[in-house]
Amino acid sequence: MESIRRLVLLALTGVFLITNLANAQDDQQGFISLDCGMPHNEPSYIEETTGLKFSSDSGFIRSGKSGRTNNEDPRLGMSNIKPYKYLRYFPEGILRNCYNLTVMQGTHYLIRAVFVYRNYDDLKQRPIFDLYLGPNFWITINLQEEFGSVDRFWRTDGKVEDIIHMPKSNFMDICLVKTGTTTPFISTLELRPLRDDTYTTKTGSLMLFNRWYFSNSESFVRYPDDVHDRLWDTYFSDELTQINTTTTVNTTNAFDLPQAIVSKASIPKDAGKSWSRRWSMQSTDDVHVYLHFAEIQALKPNDTREFSILWNEKTINHNYSPLEFMVDTVPIRTSTKCDDSCYLELVSTTSSSLPPSLNAMEVFGVLQLPQSETDENDVTAFKNIQAFYKLQKMSWQGDPCVPTQYMWTGLNCSNMLPSIPPRIISLDFSYYGLNGTISSDIQYLSQLQKLDLSNNNLTGRVPEFLAKLKLLTVINLSGNNLSGSIPETLRNMENNGLTLILRGGNKNLCLDPSCESEAGDGKNKKKWLVPILASAASVGITTAIILLIILFYRRKKRSSKDIRPSMVVNKRSFTYEEVTVMTNNFEKTLGEGGFGVVYYGNLINNEQVAVKVLSQSSAQGYKQFKAEVDLLLRVHHINLVSLVGYCDEGQHLVLIYEYMSNGNLKQHLSGECASSPLSWANRLRIAAETAQGLEYLHIGCKPPMIHRDIKSMNILLDEHFQAKLGDFGLSRSFPVGSETHVSTNVAGSPGYLDPEYYRTNWLTEKSDVFSFGVVLLEIITSQPVIDQTREKAHIGEWVGFKLTNGDIKSIVDPSLTGDYDSSSLWKALELAMSCVSPSSSGRPNMSQVANELQECLLSENSRKGGSQDVESKSSLALSTSFGPEQTPDAR
Ligand SMILES: *[C@@H]1O[C@H](CO)[C@@H](O)[C@H](O)[C@H]1NC(C)=O
Ligand SMILES: *[C@@H]1O[C@H](CO)[C@@H](O)[C@H](O)[C@H]1NC(C)=O
Ligand SMILES: *[C@@H]1O[C@H](CO)[C@@H](O)[C@H](O)[C@H]1NC(C)=O
Ligand SMILES: *[C@@H]1O[C@H](CO)[C@@H](O)[C@H](O)[C@H]1NC(C)=O
Ligand SMILES: *[C@@H]1O[C@H](CO)[C@@H](O)[C@H](O)[C@H]1NC(C)=O
Ligand SMILES: *[C@@H]1O[C@H](CO)[C@@H](O)[C@H](O)[C@H]1NC(C)=O
Ligand SMILES: *[C@@H]1O[C@H](CO)[C@@H](O)[C@H](O)[C@H]1NC(C)=O
Ligand SMILES: *[C@@H]1O[C@H](CO)[C@@H](O)[C@H](O)[C@H]1NC(C)=O
Ligand SMILES: *[C@@H]1O[C@H](CO)[C@@H](O)[C@H](O)[C@H]1NC(C)=O
């Protein structure tokens, strides 16, 4: 098979000299390179011949053991390439073992899996097993079929599989499935993001048959020569002659071909003949071919190279001429199958003086992936239930419902048609040793027909939310220790065909319908009011805007379980040891505040993070930590800084956030950054993005969240200067027992705090709108929020003062140098002033704010033909470098 030759050549890269290795590591953006089986405590390393950075796979799979090939191959040196020494094998008897990888939804990936057996287990038993992409069959890995002699065993003892695939969600499972008696294993797993405009298909994914470049050299080409790390194999035959050039070929077409490949081409040895190649490949579906051409001979004035391209004897192109010193790719995606063999032929036209030439060619078989993944909300709910009860089953890997033969235990699904995502229709956790209450996430399994939680140690009440599941026909709760009464709504469902089984155990459960009782006890909400120290309050045009260095805190207990599961949950709990590793023993501080220190860190997949270690005193009494964090982990919005994980181990409470490399808005407005000031378009965009994040907290979240601490310092900017709101949701669960915390800005910051909230202690979303208005004023004016040396100390008063005096021009930040669409600016100013209106009824809601800002942004962008925003964004990115104060702001 061709994949064997690929592997042999892969091994040969050991002797292939690579030119620009030094810069290589910087460009591996989005690459995932897993050295499977490498112990988790071994650090990632740079593979010498390619410069690729490999790391352990241990964070991506739960089953399997680490193995190692011992025998070296003196001729090929294959074993000397580090990534193929370790392997992960799966002797435990679990049928399906899956890697779960975090990917970019909708991006095309080249996915490569390598299997080097080399008798690692001393059994001399090369395995056969299946590979799956999510719920869909990919290919059978059969390491037995091609090997005969010992010699071949040594030379070609492995396989490389390569597919171009676009994941439909942010997670992707790649599974090894045991199909016989032999043990599946894997050596490396490599993912490379590709451009979306290159290898496209109407349906299915592209399974590589081969990727040839036509040269008589034996050099294998991959990263760093190929920026996408495609593996290019050479092909040559007696009928061909090589031509080559030292002139640089323009490779700026979408395929980013390496110079090493396009600087060589093949022509027929007999110039009168056509260029042809025939091969057989097993493919029941379509074959796609990509032909890469470049004219690499300096043509004389009377020379022409012109030929027809024939694919399986049908003419695709009648008179094709390669472009001079410029790559051109001809894709063949017509729905043609190869019957017995595939046949490509390039035939000179009569007017051509030169023979046809071809530089490189890729051949793919289309693999259909018909099976949909299980409904995402069901998967999320199930995983939350699993986490709630701390259930861990090794076999719970990959898609819960499909393929049906690997369906997870404890559930059953509807699997009507492959094109329809399966739904979880029954949950059977009988005798699962569950304790605690009945998980509220069960209510989000909206298609549930049967719920069996019998014979566990469940306590608490029979929850009312079960009545939301209208399709339920059986609820079996017998053999538990539930108490209280049965909700009436559930009783009513019994009349509509629900079988509710409660008898057996449950001694404290009142089954008598008459004992509708103390429902709602224990839910009384504690309200804490902790005023600390009052300071200057000044009166301006709007008498109600009051300077606050007074902080309020009202603790409002809410059920953390009322939240709807969002699209994707990436729930991650880390040990303190892992936190130590990810921060490299708390090496680099990003910021410091009342609740602890924020450190820079790196996750195992190289994702950068900001690690907030809560100080001992803040940690004390933070009983709700886990519940609150679970809630925050479920909040996902592009304009909210996501919580990636947490650590809750004894005294150690740690929050792990996504890293925001461009600091916070305040730094940019205050000129703290040595960069050029933000343009008006960028300011508007940041405001609009922030407004959308806040709108989501107010409206998109269930239950809605009030941020309570909107300020420019909490608006963070990622590497693309996209704005994200940080530190939401925490203030309400932090205890404010001691005054030390409050004096360091626990909730609400001076100048941003809503005066009405201060007066009435009645907190609504409109308090956030007020704070957002203050931020908008900062964006427009670049003035400090409070400045005692100004005519009016508070920014809202000051702007009002200027407006009433008709001194409009002096409001606007002079560093904008008049470079703005004034209508968008005045509209934003008007909006800001309405947000800081003293009475909450006079303020717009966040949806209105977000819409207005979007309109401002459109009008500003149309001023310079629409491209303004993008341009200023990239020029900004180039000219900016920032100080150490980064995400999320330490308070
Ligand atoms: C992926 O695997 C990790 C490590 O085993 C696990 O913690 C995480 O929950 C998994 N994520 C998903 C979405 O299954
Ligand atoms: C280029 O072609 C010439 C003549 O065919 C050959 O001698 C030479 O080795 C080739 N160079 C490379 C780098 O392949
Ligand atoms: C390559 O070709 C593109 C498209 O014609 C052109 O824009 C670009 O400047 C060329 N690059 C070089 C290095 O000549
Ligand atoms: C093309 O021009 C070269 C000289 O530049 C000449 O030797 C050759 O015969 C010409 N070929 C044809 C086909 O006209
Ligand atoms: C799952 O449901 C199907 C159809 O409703 C049924 O035939 C099958 O036996 C069930 N499987 C299990 C494991 O309960
Ligand atoms: C459930 O039991 C485990 C150990 O058996 C215990 O650690 C845990 O706290 C219990 N959970 C609840 C909610 O009672
Ligand atoms: C309930 O918990 C007790 C003690 O923790 C244990 O002995 C018993 O087996 C449990 N019962 C069930 C049904 O899991
Ligand atoms: C409910 O659970 C009990 C205990 O596991 C079992 O005996 C009974 O058959 C179950 N009833 C139904 C209808 O599933
Ligand atoms: C049931 O729960 C109560 C507390 O609600 C506890 O006192 C009792 O020991 C539990 N019974 C069993 C059998 O676990």
Side-chain angles (χ1 to χ4, degrees):
M1 282 292 281
E2 294 296 339
S3 71
I4 297 163
R5 181 171 154 74
R6 233 180 291 156
L7 190 67
V8 172
L9 285 164
L10 195 58
L12 283 172
T13 53
V15 288
F16 179 60
L17 241 165
I18 278 132
T19 44
N20 51 339
L21 207 55
N23 309 325
Q25 301 125 34
D26 309 335
D27 310 326
Q28 297 171 33
Q29 209 173 29
F31 281 29
I32 298 175
S33 309
L34 301 181
D35 182 344
C36 304
M38 183 167 106
H40 68 93
N41 52 0
E42 277 194 26
S44 341
Y45 61 90
I46 308 288
E47 198 286 308
E48 287 173 7
T49 57
T50 56
L52 288 166
K53 187 175 182 191
F54 278 87
S55 50
S56 165
D57 64 339
S58 58
F60 305 92
I61 190 157
R62 286 190 289 131
S63 52
K65 291 185 171 160
S66 173
R68 216 186 149 109
T69 59
N70 306 310
N71 15 28
E72 302 257 319
D73 186 327
R75 286 159 304 165
L76 285 175
M78 184 187 293
S79 300
N80 297 330
I81 299 177
K82 198 173 171 189
Y84 308 128
K85 285 190 176 175
Y86 280 121
L87 54 89
R88 180 174 293 272
Y89 66 110
F90 303 92
E92 294 109 327
I94 299 160
L95 289 183
R96 182 171 58 162
N97 302 276
C98 300
Y99 281 87
N100 81 46
L101 303 168
T102 306
V103 290
M104 292 170 279
Q105 179 176 9
T107 296
H108 285 79
Y109 277 89
L110 185 158
I111 302 167
R112 185 161 50 227
V114 180
F115 309 88
V116 179
Y117 174 64
R118 302 187 70 73
N119 199 22
Y120 75 92
D121 52 3
D122 283 330
L123 295 173
K124 291 201 172 143
Q125 192 183 35
R126 291 180 294 272
I128 306 180
F129 53 91
D130 284 348
L131 214 53
Y132 276 73
L133 268 180
N136 286 288
F137 175 77
W138 173 2
I139 196 167
T140 297
I141 303 296
N142 184 346
L143 291 167
Q144 295 177 351
E145 63 185 358
E146 291 114 348
F147 313 107
S149 66
V150 171
D151 182 57
R152 278 189 65 77
F153 171 76
W154 282 116
R155 283 184 65 83
T156 59
D157 192 15
K159 270 204 164 196
V160 181
E161 288 304 334
D162 189 323
I163 195 167
I164 294 174
H165 172 67
M166 187 182 79
K168 292 196 182 68
S169 77
N170 289 319
F171 292 99
M172 185 170 62
D173 293 317
I174 295 175
C175 307
L176 291 91
V177 175
K178 188 178 167 101
T179 51
T181 53
T182 52
T183 304
F185 79 97
I186 182 166
S187 302
T188 65
L189 194 53
E190 304 165 23
L191 270 74
R192 318 292 183 223
L194 298 173
R195 285 175 57 156
D196 293 334
D197 52 353
T198 48
Y199 302 97
T200 55
T201 54
K202 279 208 191 75
T203 60
S205 297
L206 293 176
M207 202 156 53
L208 185 68
F209 175 68
N210 222 323
R211 185 175 279 131
W212 291 294
Y213 75 105
F214 299 101
S215 159
N216 52 18
S217 85
E218 274 292 285
S219 302
F220 201 72
V221 174
R222 69 178 294 184
Y223 192 83
D225 295 80
D226 187 318
V227 292
H228 301 298
D229 194 26
R230 286 161 292 197
L231 295 179
W232 297 89
D233 190 348
T234 55
Y235 174 82
F236 220 67
S237 78
D238 292 343
E239 281 120 52
L240 296 177
T241 299
Q242 181 185 312
I243 54 176
N244 60 31
T245 182
T246 50
T247 309
T248 307
V249 178
N250 187 329
T251 55
T252 49
N253 89 347
F255 288 84
D256 296 327
L257 294 187
Q259 201 61 233
I261 282 167
V262 296
S263 62
K264 300 183 184 71
S266 57
I267 54 173
K269 192 169 261 168
D270 178 347
K273 285 201 169 155
S274 64
W275 190 111
S276 69
R277 174 132 173 74
R278 184 181 290 279
W279 67 92
S280 62
M281 70 187 271
Q282 301 160 336
S283 176
T284 50
D285 216 306
D286 292 351
V287 175
H288 285 195
V289 179
Y290 290 79
L291 303 172
H292 304 289
F293 295 101
E295 178 57 73
I296 57 167
Q297 280 183 325
L299 298 187
K300 299 192 188 77
N302 61 356
D303 273 343
T304 52
R305 192 192 304 279
E306 191 183 82
F307 48 88
S308 320
I309 303 171
L310 284 84
W311 170 238
N312 291 338
E313 281 152 18
K314 280 203 201 80
T315 306
I316 301 290
N317 195 318
H318 285 281
N319 46 2
Y320 181 79
S321 289
L323 305 175
E324 288 185 47
F325 295 99
M326 166 107 75
V327 172
D328 183 39
T329 299
V330 176
I332 304 176
R333 304 187 184 106
T334 50
S335 35
T336 41
K337 299 177 183 15
C338 300
D339 289 335
D340 293 323
S341 58
C342 302
Y343 187 53
L344 177 77
E345 196 178 14
L346 309 176
V347 186
S348 293
T349 59
T350 47
S351 59
S352 181
S353 64
L354 295 171
S357 74
L358 179 60
N359 303 58
M361 160 164 141
E362 294 171 272
V363 181
F364 299 95
V366 177
L367 176 73
Q368 297 299 343
L369 304 167
Q371 179 62 58
S372 312
E373 290 165 21
T374 300
D375 180 84
E376 223 167 338
N377 290 325
D378 280 4
V379 176
T380 303
F382 188 88
K383 290 203 165 148
N384 289 341
I385 296 164
Q386 189 189 342
F388 183 81
Y389 292 121
K390 298 194 170 60
L391 287 174
Q392 276 297 354
K393 285 211 185 290
M394 272 300 188
S395 60
W396 285 355
Q397 299 189 37
D399 192 284
C401 294
V402 277
T404 38
Q405 67 266 37
Y406 308 118
M407 188 189 288
W408 291 5
T409 52
L411 51 79
N412 201 352
C413 307
S414 62
N415 292 299
M416 290 166 298
L417 290 168
S419 59
I420 298 169
R423 303 297 304 255
I424 296 176
I425 56 165
S426 109
L427 203 60
D428 182 359
F429 282 172
S430 185
Y431 291 103
Y432 265 50
L434 310 182
N435 60 0
T437 57
I438 294 177
S439 165
S440 63
D441 281 296
I442 288 173
Q443 67 186 298
Y444 303 116
L445 293 172
S446 58
Q447 300 290 305
L448 211 57
Q449 296 169 17
K450 186 182 164 211
L451 175 65
D452 189 350
L453 300 175
S454 62
N455 291 302
N456 289 293
N457 269 335
L458 295 172
T459 52
R461 297 166 170 281
V462 175
E464 186 147 9
F465 59 69
L466 292 178
K468 288 188 198 166
L469 300 169
K470 298 295 178 209
L471 302 180
L472 273 176
T473 56
V474 181
I475 301 179
N476 195 344
L477 299 174
S478 64
N480 283 294
N481 191 5
L482 297 164
S483 54
S485 58
I486 315 302
E488 205 182 315
T489 45
L490 213 51
R491 283 282 181 217
N492 293 340
M493 278 177 75
E494 277 189 292
N495 304 330
N496 294 322
L498 171 70
T499 311
L500 186 57
I501 302 154
L502 300 160
R503 289 189 200 277
N506 298 326
K507 294 206 173 55
N508 299 321
L509 197 59
C510 175
L511 297 174
D512 188 342
S514 67
C515 68
E516 276 308 315
S517 61
E518 357 70 286
D521 68 332
K523 285 185 188 165
N524 51 329
K525 294 172 183 172
K526 257 187 187 166
K527 294 176 183 177
W528 298 9
L529 173 64
V530 187
I532 309 307
L533 57 114
S535 120
S538 67
V539 185
I541 46 142
T542 58
T543 48
I545 299 178
I546 300 166
L547 260 185
L548 296 172
I549 304 175
I550 295 175
L551 301 175
F552 276 89
Y553 197 84
R554 190 172 54 165
R555 190 179 167 101
K556 191 171 174 188
K557 199 171 152 225
R558 270 194 199 153
S559 164
S560 64
K561 290 150 208 153
D562 295 344
I563 197 157
R564 201 172 293 280
S566 68
M567 287 253 295
V568 183
V569 169
N570 186 11
K571 186 171 292 191
R572 298 194 69 176
S573 152
F574 292 85
T575 63
Y576 192 68
E577 197 194 347
E578 285 171 319
V579 172
T580 314
V581 172
M582 80 177 68
T583 56
N584 201 10
N585 207 12
F586 308 101
E587 186 182 45
K588 188 172 154 198
T589 310
L590 297 176
E592 200 165 336
F595 280 106
V597 183
V598 183
Y599 297 94
Y600 173 80
N602 266 298
L603 297 186
I604 202 148
N605 61 0
N606 290 325
E607 187 185 348
Q608 299 183 92
V609 288
V611 179
K612 182 184 267 185
V613 179
L614 304 184
S615 63
Q616 298 276 318
S617 53
S618 354
Q620 267 164 25
Y622 194 2
K623 296 199 186 74
Q624 291 267 117
F625 185 82
K626 177 80 169 55
E628 292 292 352
V629 161
D630 279 353
L631 182 145
L632 294 181
L633 280 165
R634 287 189 236 169
V635 178
H636 287 285
H637 187 274
I638 189 161
N639 301 120
L640 296 173
V641 175
S642 7
L643 187 62
V644 243
Y646 64 94
C647 162
D648 181 7
E649 200 176 72
Q651 286 296 299
H652 301 296
L653 299 187
V654 179
L655 294 168
I656 300 154
Y657 290 94
E658 79 179 292
Y659 178 76
M660 304 289 287
S661 54
N662 276 319
N664 67 53
L665 177 62
K666 185 173 183 168
Q667 295 169 311
H668 289 270
L669 291 176
S670 66
E672 220 177 296
C673 314
S675 61
S676 53
L678 289 170
S679 70
W680 176 238
N682 270 319
R683 291 181 198 213
L684 268 180
R685 181 182 49 76
I686 289 167
E689 286 171 348
T690 309
Q692 278 161 21
L694 193 50
E695 182 194 13
Y696 180 76
L697 286 180
H698 288 178
I699 294 160
C701 278
K702 297 269 160 25
M705 265 189 223
I706 300 174
H707 188 292
R708 296 182 168 211
D709 201 10
I710 301 285
K711 54 181 173 180
S712 50
M713 209 193 262
N714 266 342
I715 295 165
L716 301 152
L717 302 171
D718 74 4
E719 77 262 40
H720 308 300
F721 283 82
Q722 179 160 62
K724 296 185 185 221
L725 199 46
D727 265 5
F728 54 92
L730 281 186
S731 53
R732 64 182 193 164
S733 48
F734 273 82
V736 273
S738 74
E739 310 202 339
T740 51
H741 293 158
V742 187
S743 60
T744 50
N745 304 350
V746 178
S749 299
Y752 293 92
L753 203 49
D754 171 14
E756 187 174 275
Y757 171 43
Y758 166 53
R759 259 198 339 268
T760 63
N761 191 29
W762 182 252
L763 186 74
T764 68
E765 286 90 336
K766 291 290 178 73
S767 296
D768 281 346
V769 175
F770 180 91
S771 314
F772 183 83
V774 174
V775 172
L776 204 45
L777 289 174
E778 287 185 274
I779 287 174
I780 295 165
T781 64
S782 287
Q783 287 275 339
V785 174
I786 294 165
D787 182 356
Q788 303 290 1
T789 66
R790 230 170 12 205
E791 298 96 320
K792 298 286 176 187
H794 189 271
I795 192 168
E797 294 175 289
W798 178 76
V799 171
F801 172 78
K802 290 281 181 188
L803 283 174
T804 44
N805 285 308
D807 192 5
I808 295 176
K809 286 269 184 293
S810 65
I811 294 170
V812 183
D813 179 3
S815 71
L816 287 174
T817 61
D819 188 13
Y820 49 79
D821 166 41
S822 44
S823 76
S824 74
L825 193 131
W826 301 128
K827 195 168 171 183
L829 187 59
E830 216 177 297
L831 183 64
M833 288 311 282
S834 69
C835 289
V836 298
S837 158
S839 143
S840 63
S841 59
R843 300 173 202 155
N845 65 33
M846 277 320 291
S847 300
Q848 290 164 325
V849 174
N851 284 340
E852 295 253 318
L853 285 172
Q854 207 59 47
E855 280 172 27
C856 292
L857 187 56
L858 282 177
S859 114
E860 168 66 16
N861 281 345
S862 63
R863 185 168 65 99
K864 282 188 182 171
S867 60
Q868 166 82 356
D869 185 35
V870 175
E871 275 166 23
S872 47
K873 227 160 130 182
S874 52
S875 67
L876 180 73
L878 287 173
S879 62
T880 319
S881 70
F882 301 115
E885 172 70 18
Q886 272 140 341
T887 335
D889 125 66
R891 314 194 299 175

